[in-house]
Amino acid sequence: MKMKLSVAILAGAGILSSASVWAQDAQAVAEAQATTEPVAVVVTGVRRAAQSAQTIKKNADEVVDSIVAEEAGKFPDKNVAEILGRVTGVQIRRAGGEASDVIIRGLPGLTTLLNGREVYTSTNRNLHLADIPTTMLQRVDVYKTQGAEMVEGGTAGVIDVRTARPFDFKGFSASLVGRAENRDKADTTDPQVSGMISNRWKNDLGEFGALFGVSYQKGHYFDEVTWNSPPDNAVTNNTSKPNPAVTGPVDLGHSSTTGVRERYSANWAFQFKPSRDVELYAEGWSTRIDHDRESQFFLGNLGWGSTTQYTLFPGTNQVDTVTSSGNPFALSSNQTPRDDSETHQGAIGAKWTITPDLRVSTEFVRTTARWKQDMPIMEMLAHPTTIVGQTYVNGGARFDYPGYNMLDPNNYTLHNFIDNWQASGGQSKDWRADATYNNGEENFFREFSAGVRIAKRSARYQHESLNFLPAIPGLPAVSSLPGLTCPSQPFSNDYGMNQWLTVCGDYQHRNIDAVRKLYGRDGRTAPDPYSLYTNNEDTSALYGKTRFGFNAGPVPVEGTVGVRVVKTKLDVNGFTNVNDQPVAINKKSSDTDVLPNLTVKANLTDTLIGRFNAGKTIQRPAFGDFNPGISLGATADGSGIYGGSGGNPDLKPVVGKNADVALEWYFAPTGSLTATVFKHKFENYIIRTLELQTYNGKQYRMEHPHNVNEGQLKGIEIGYRQFYDFLPGWLGGFGMEANYTYMKGHFEDNGKRAPFQGMSKNAFNIVGLYERGSWSGRLAYNYRGRFVDTFNYRAIPAPIGPIDLIVDPIETVDASISYKINENMGITLDVENLTDRTYNDYHGIASNPRDVRRYDRVIGLTMRWKL
C-alpha cells in the first residue's frame, strides 16, 4: 500500500508525466510496484512491458496510453510510427517502406515531443516519428488529454517519445542489435545495426552517469500502383460527338516507386548528482537521413475518338473495357527525388530539491534542422498504334499495347524535362523553469506547481523557378545515349503491360548538367521568389497548477486544475503576386491563448477508477501554410488544367475544447478493461481546398489552406489486456491485447458539413501474445475503416464533380516470434504485411477506382545481445 500511495503521489504531482521537467522513470516505478503484488509467473519481457504500461495508465492524471520496452531497446516494431499503430485511437498509413501519417482519434492535429521537449523536422512542427529507431527508446506515451505543464499544441493529442538515460540503469549496461531485413517486391536484404552503452558510478564529487547510443538503418522498398484518372464524359464511340451519359477515365497508368533510405541516428546523455538534492544533466539526439527514390511513372491515354470501341459495366453508364487505335499518347516519366535531411537537438538542465517540499528545475534546449531535395524528371514518349484497357481489375487499371515492344529504346523519343529542387531549414531555442511545492496529503490542495517557458523559432523555405523545359527540335535519339534507359521494376501482379523503359534515375543525377544543356539551359535556376518565405515565431507561456484530493464518502477523489497562458508572436515574410510581379509582403500578428485544464479521478474500488478530464488546447498551422506566395505548375493534365498551391498568412490557430469520461477496471497486474467516451469541439479548424483560378491566361487547380468556423468529433475507445496465467501448463503463456475506437465527426465550411479527412469511423487492433520460458510471440491484426482522403478531388466541375477521393478499409497482419538463447542473447523473426495487403481508393463510388497499391512483405531476423 505504501508503494501504491507513493506512485499515486508522484502521478498527481505530474512527475510520472514525461512531459514534465521532473519526469522520472515510470517504468521503474511500475516494476517496483509489481514486485509488491503476488503474480502467478515471473514478470519479465512481454508481461513486464505490459504491466509497466498498465501501471502508467492507471496512475496518470491524463488519459494516456503507453508502450514500454520489453528490455533495453526491445520493441515489437522497428520505429516509433510502426509502434503507434497498436495504440487505442491511433491510426497510421504505411507507404514508402515504412509507417507514416500518424493521427490520433481520426485527426492530424497532434504534437510530438522528445523527452517532453518540442522537436520538429525543418519547417514542419512535428518530429517525423519514423526517424526514431526503437532501439533508442524506453517508452512512448500517447496523451489524449493535456496538463497545464505540457508544451502547448496538439488538439488531437500529444505523443511523447522517451529515450533512455544512464540513471535508468542500476550500473553498467550495454546492448547490441543486428538485423537483416528482406523485402519481397524490392527483392533486397538490408542491414540494420544499433548499439548502446551506459554506466553510472560514484566518487568524491558525487554520482555520474553517461550513455551513448548509435543506430544505422538501411532499407530498400518497392511500392506498386496502377491507377485510373477521374471519370470524364468526353467519351466517344465511332463518332466525334461525346455521349454525356457515359463516363470513363481519360488515362490509365502504372507507377512503381523504388527507393532506398539510410538513417544514421545517435543519442547521448550525461547525468551528475553532486548531492542527493541536486542533479545536473545534458542530453541530445541527432539524425541524418539520405533517401533516394524513383517513381517510374507511365501514362496511357485512351485516345477517345472515332476509332474507339468500349463496353460498359452491366446496368451502368460507366466504361469497362476500351480499345483505341490511332497512335494513342503514351508517356514514360521517371521522377527521381534525392532527399537529404539532418536534425539535431541538445538540452542542458538542472533539478534542485531545495527542501523536502519544494523542488525547482530549469532547462535550455536548442534544435536545428535542414532538408533539401533535388528531383529532376525526364520524360519519354512511346508511339504505339493501339491501346487495350480495362478500367477495373483487382481494384485498379489493366492496359496493354498489342504488337508494340515497350522495352525497345528505338520505340521512344525524348520529351520534356522538369528540373526541380527545394530546400528548407529552421532552428529554435527554448528555456523553461518550473517549481513544485508539496502542501501535504492531509490538505485539500496537496500540491502547487508553476512554470514559465520562452521559445524562439525560425523557419525558411525556397524552391526553383522556371523548372519546366519543353522538348526542343534536335534532341538526340533515345538509343544514341548510352546508359540513358532502364527497364522499369516489374509488377508483382498482372495488370497488362508489366514493364516499360524509363530513364535511369542515376543517369539523371550523374549527368544533370549535360541534360540541362540538351534542353538549352546552363546550370541550376534561381529560386522562385513566390516560394521564398522566412517565418519567425516567438512564444512565451506561463502556467499554474494545483493537485487536490478529498473523500466523497468512502471514495477517494483526486485531481488537478491548472491553466496555461500562451502569447504567440508571428512574423511572416514572403512575396505576393501584384499585376504578375513579385512584391515583398510582411505579416505580423500576436495572439494570447488561455488554456484551462481539469482532471478528476475517483478510486471507486481498489481496482475500479473513474475519470473526467476537460481542457482547452491549440494547434498552430504549419509554417508553410503561412506562405503568402503561390506555386504554379508547369504541365497541364489531360483537360488542360495546371496544378498550383499557395499559403494563407491570415490563418488562425485551431482551438480545441475537449472532454473525456473514462471507466477503468484493473483486475490483474497485467489485466485491464477500459472505456473512454470523448468529445472535441473545434474552432478555426484548418482544411485545404481546391479551386479553379486563372493566371496569365492559364487555368490552375489551386490548393489553399483556410480556417472553417466549426468542427466537432465524438466517439468511444475500448481497450482490453490480459495474460491468461490461470490456464494450466503451457496454455498459461497466452495473452491478448485488443482495442476498438468508434469516431463520428464533421466540420462546417460555408454552411456545408463534411467528415474530417483521414477519419475512419471504426478502427481496431487484436494482438495475440505468447510468453513462456525462453519463447515469446505476437500475432497482430489491425483494421482501419473507410475514410475520405481528399475532398473535391482535382476540383472536377459539374456534371461529373465534385468528387471526393475515398479510401477503402485497410487491414494489416504482422507476426513475430522470439527465442531467448540465454540471459544475454536473443533472436527474433518477424513478418510485416503477412497477408500482402492492398490499398484501394476510388473516385466517389467503388466502381470508379483511382489506385490499387501494393507494398513489400518484410521479413526480419534480429539478434540482440545485452550486458
Side-chain angles (χ1 to χ4, degrees):
M1 289 298 296
K2 291 181 179 179
M3 177 61 68
K4 288 184 177 180
L5 179 62
S6 67
V7 172
I9 293 171
L10 291 173
I15 292 178
L16 292 190
S17 165
S18 59
S20 169
V21 171
W22 282 98
Q24 294 187 5
D25 185 2
Q27 180 182 357
V29 176
E31 291 171 6
Q33 180 183 5
T35 63
T36 69
E37 300 179 358
V39 294
V41 296
V42 177
V43 182
T44 61
V46 178
R47 277 181 173 82
R48 180 172 60 185
Q51 185 168 331
S52 298
Q54 180 170 300
T55 303
I56 291 168
K57 180 177 180 68
K58 179 181 178 181
N59 292 324
D61 294 322
E62 308 300 330
V63 178
V64 60
D65 287 288
S66 298
I67 299 179
V68 177
E70 297 174 18
E71 56 189 51
K74 183 185 177 183
F75 279 84
D77 299 280
K78 65 188 176 191
N79 65 49
V80 175
E82 296 279 356
I83 292 173
L84 292 171
R86 320 280 180 220
V87 176
T88 307
V90 177
Q91 292 89 47
I92 62 174
R93 289 200 204 186
R94 288 180 169 96
E98 63 187 18
S100 61
D101 297 334
V102 178
I103 60 175
I104 299 177
R105 292 175 173 174
L107 300 175
L110 57 90
T111 290
T112 56
L113 305 177
L114 183 66
N115 295 314
R117 306 180 187 105
E118 192 176 36
V119 68
Y120 58 88
T121 304
S122 188
T123 58
N124 295 322
R125 289 198 177 274
N126 288 323
L127 171 70
H128 187 55
L129 291 167
D131 289 347
I132 306 293
T134 56
T135 51
M136 290 185 176
L137 300 183
Q138 186 198 62
R139 77 173 193 263
V140 181
D141 297 325
V142 179
Y143 290 89
K144 316 294 180 58
T145 63
Q146 300 174 47
E149 78 282 3
M150 298 174 69
V151 176
E152 69 279 354
T155 51
V158 175
I159 297 173
D160 190 10
V161 179
R162 285 208 58 196
T163 58
R165 293 172 175 170
F167 284 1
D168 294 336
F169 304 95
K170 295 180 179 180
F172 179 81
S173 179
S175 64
L176 182 65
V177 178
R179 176 180 170 88
E181 190 172 86
N182 177 268
R183 295 172 182 261
D184 64 340
K185 295 177 181 61
D187 193 25
T188 58
T189 300
D190 294 310
Q192 299 178 6
V193 63
S194 62
M196 184 273 295
I197 186 168
S198 176
N199 198 13
R200 59 189 295 180
W201 65 94
K202 292 182 179 180
N203 59 28
D204 294 340
L205 298 177
E207 186 173 12
F208 295 82
L211 178 148
F212 183 68
V214 293
S215 172
Y216 170 75
Q217 296 181 343
K218 182 176 183 179
H220 288 81
Y221 61 89
F222 173 61
D223 298 349
E224 68 175 39
V225 181
T226 182
W227 55 269
N228 289 263
S229 66
D232 198 295
N233 60 2
V235 174
T236 59
N237 189 9
N238 282 326
T239 177
S240 61
K241 182 180 179 180
N243 181 348
V246 174
T247 62
V250 173
D251 304 308
L252 305 180
H254 295 332
S255 175
S256 61
T257 299
T258 61
V260 56
R261 184 186 289 107
E262 292 185 277
R263 281 194 174 92
Y264 307 82
S265 302
N267 67 311
W268 53 271
F270 298 97
Q271 292 175 282
F272 170 49
K273 295 188 71 171
S275 68
R276 62 179 299 174
D277 297 326
V278 177
E279 179 185 333
L280 306 175
Y281 63 88
E283 64 182 342
W285 167 81
S286 296
T287 185
R288 175 186 172 91
I289 302 100
D290 293 325
H291 186 191
D292 298 346
R293 62 190 185 276
E294 298 182 36
S295 289
Q296 300 168 342
F297 183 87
F298 192 94
L299 182 150
N301 186 273
L302 289 174
W304 292 106
S306 59
T307 62
T308 304
Q309 297 285 339
Y310 65 82
T311 64
L312 303 177
F313 289 106
T316 75
N317 286 318
Q318 292 178 244
V319 170
D320 179 11
T321 65
V322 180
T323 300
S324 187
S325 58
N327 193 28
F329 183 82
L331 178 141
S332 169
S333 170
N334 198 0
Q335 305 172 13
T336 58
R338 300 286 189 264
D339 290 30
D340 178 17
S341 64
E342 286 186 17
T343 302
H344 307 276
Q345 185 177 80
I348 56 173
K351 305 174 185 180
W352 181 20
T353 302
I354 300 175
T355 71
D357 296 323
L358 179 62
R359 307 182 305 276
V360 296
S361 67
T362 186
E363 181 178 82
F364 175 77
V365 184
R366 177 175 169 82
T367 307
T368 62
R370 67 164 185 84
W371 171 78
K372 68 176 183 178
Q373 181 190 82
D374 292 294
M375 189 177 72
I377 303 173
M378 289 188 73
E379 298 178 343
M380 300 188 299
L381 294 181
H383 306 280
T385 57
T386 302
I387 182 172
V388 177
Q390 189 171 357
T391 64
Y392 190 84
V393 177
N394 296 327
R398 187 185 194 281
F399 61 98
D400 210 342
Y401 299 94
Y404 197 82
N405 185 0
M406 280 294 179
L407 294 177
D408 184 353
N410 293 302
N411 287 337
Y412 289 85
T413 56
L414 287 176
H415 194 46
N416 303 321
F417 173 57
I418 300 99
D419 193 5
N420 299 308
W421 63 265
Q422 53 184 324
S424 64
Q427 62 179 12
S428 72
K429 302 174 184 177
D430 66 79
W431 168 82
R432 66 179 294 171
D434 300 77
T436 301
Y437 175 71
N438 181 10
N439 196 40
E441 293 301 302
E442 69 279 5
N443 296 309
F444 178 82
F445 292 110
R446 299 175 177 179
E447 187 177 82
F448 299 95
S449 57
V452 61
R453 178 176 180 264
I454 299 173
K456 295 180 177 291
R457 181 171 173 196
S458 64
R460 60 190 181 276
Y461 173 82
Q462 61 182 358
H463 67 64
E464 80 296 319
S465 63
L466 303 174
N467 62 340
F468 181 70
L469 300 176
I472 58 177
L475 287 175
V478 168
S479 59
S480 69
L481 297 173
L484 174 68
T485 60
C486 294
S488 68
Q489 179 87 355
F491 274 37
S492 60
N493 288 269
D494 180 14
Y495 290 103
M497 183 191 65
N498 192 47
Q499 279 187 287
W500 62 95
L501 276 190
T502 184
V503 174
C504 303
D506 57 351
Y507 182 94
Q508 295 186 181
H509 288 273
R510 190 174 62 248
N511 301 282
I512 185 66
D513 289 330
V515 171
R516 288 167 175 154
K517 288 182 179 179
L518 281 179
Y519 288 83
R521 172 176 289 174
D522 287 325
R524 178 164 145 164
T525 62
D528 179 356
Y530 295 114
S531 74
L532 286 167
Y533 71 80
T534 57
N535 290 350
N536 297 292
E537 183 180 83
D538 296 345
T539 61
S540 53
L542 176 70
Y543 80 87
K545 179 179 178 179
T546 183
R547 184 173 61 85
F548 60 85
F550 60 92
N551 290 327
V555 178
V557 178
E558 56 186 321
T560 65
V561 61
V563 63
R564 189 177 187 90
V565 181
V566 185
K567 184 173 184 178
T568 306
K569 293 182 178 180
L570 187 66
D571 185 352
V572 179
N573 297 274
F575 293 84
T576 188
N577 187 308
V578 178
N579 297 323
D580 295 326
Q581 295 295 321
V583 176
I585 183 174
N586 172 258
K587 178 76 174 182
K588 293 183 179 180
S589 61
S590 179
D591 297 297
T592 300
D593 296 285
V594 180
L595 309 175
N597 173 266
L598 170 68
T599 75
V600 179
K601 181 168 65 173
N603 297 291
L604 303 174
T605 70
D606 288 342
T607 60
L608 189 64
I609 294 175
R611 296 181 188 271
F612 173 76
N613 289 56
K616 182 179 178 182
T617 59
I618 60 170
Q619 180 73 35
R620 301 184 183 97
F623 274 102
D625 287 345
F626 289 115
N627 183 14
I630 59 174
S631 177
L632 301 178
T635 57
D637 61 14
S639 58
I641 300 176
Y642 296 78
S645 63
N648 181 354
D650 297 317
L651 284 175
K652 299 177 181 178
V654 181
V655 176
K657 299 176 181 178
N658 312 324
D660 289 67
V661 178
L663 189 63
E664 302 167 358
W665 179 31
Y666 298 97
F667 53 82
T670 53
S672 62
L673 180 63
T674 63
T676 304
V677 177
F678 57 87
K679 186 173 183 179
H680 302 267
K681 289 187 175 181
F682 300 101
E683 300 172 4
N684 305 323
Y685 192 80
I686 297 173
I687 65 171
R688 306 188 73 88
T689 55
L690 291 171
E691 296 178 326
L692 294 177
Q693 298 177 1
T694 301
Y695 295 93
N696 299 323
K698 297 179 180 178
Q699 200 171 27
Y700 290 84
R701 189 179 289 109
M702 297 296 296
E703 182 184 50
H704 289 281
H706 70 275
N707 295 109
V708 298
N709 295 328
E710 179 190 340
Q712 62 174 282
L713 173 73
K714 55 186 177 182
I716 184 170
E717 298 173 341
I718 300 173
Y720 165 75
R721 172 188 286 128
Q722 186 174 11
F723 273 90
Y724 305 111
D725 303 322
F726 54 86
L727 294 176
W730 61 271
L731 293 175
F734 282 105
M736 177 180 288
E737 293 181 352
N739 57 69
Y740 168 75
T741 305
Y742 172 80
M743 294 166 285
K744 183 178 180 180
H746 67 269
F747 64 87
E748 289 193 7
D749 187 23
N750 295 323
K752 296 181 179 180
R753 287 190 175 186
F756 292 106
Q757 289 177 240
M759 183 196 72
S760 300
K761 281 189 176 182
N762 297 281
F764 60 88
N765 291 279
I766 301 174
V767 184
L769 303 170
Y770 189 81
E771 183 179 48
R772 186 171 180 83
S774 298
W775 292 95
S776 62
R778 174 180 64 102
L779 180 64
Y781 171 81
N782 173 268
Y783 174 89
R784 178 181 179 183
R786 187 179 67 173
F787 59 91
V788 177
D789 180 88
T790 306
F791 289 104
N792 192 18
Y793 176 66
R794 304 193 71 177
I796 300 169
I800 303 294
I803 292 175
D804 297 334
L805 190 63
I806 300 172
V807 179
D808 265 344
I810 300 173
E811 300 175 88
T812 302
V813 179
D814 304 325
S816 68
I817 185 169
S818 296
Y819 179 72
K820 190 174 183 180
I821 299 171
N822 54 43
E823 289 301 313
N824 303 109
M825 295 184 66
I827 186 170
T828 299
L829 177 68
D830 59 82
V831 183
E832 176 194 321
N833 189 19
L834 190 65
T835 56
D836 197 19
R837 70 183 179 274
T838 60
Y839 174 105
N840 296 84
D841 57 15
Y842 50 88
H843 304 102
I845 58 175
S847 55
N848 272 330
R850 185 184 77 157
D851 289 348
V852 57
R853 309 180 190 179
R854 284 185 165 85
Y855 308 109
D856 288 295
R857 178 184 288 114
V858 183
I859 300 176
L861 183 64
T862 304
M863 289 287 298
R864 290 182 173 86
W865 173 84
K866 67 173 184 177
L867 184 65

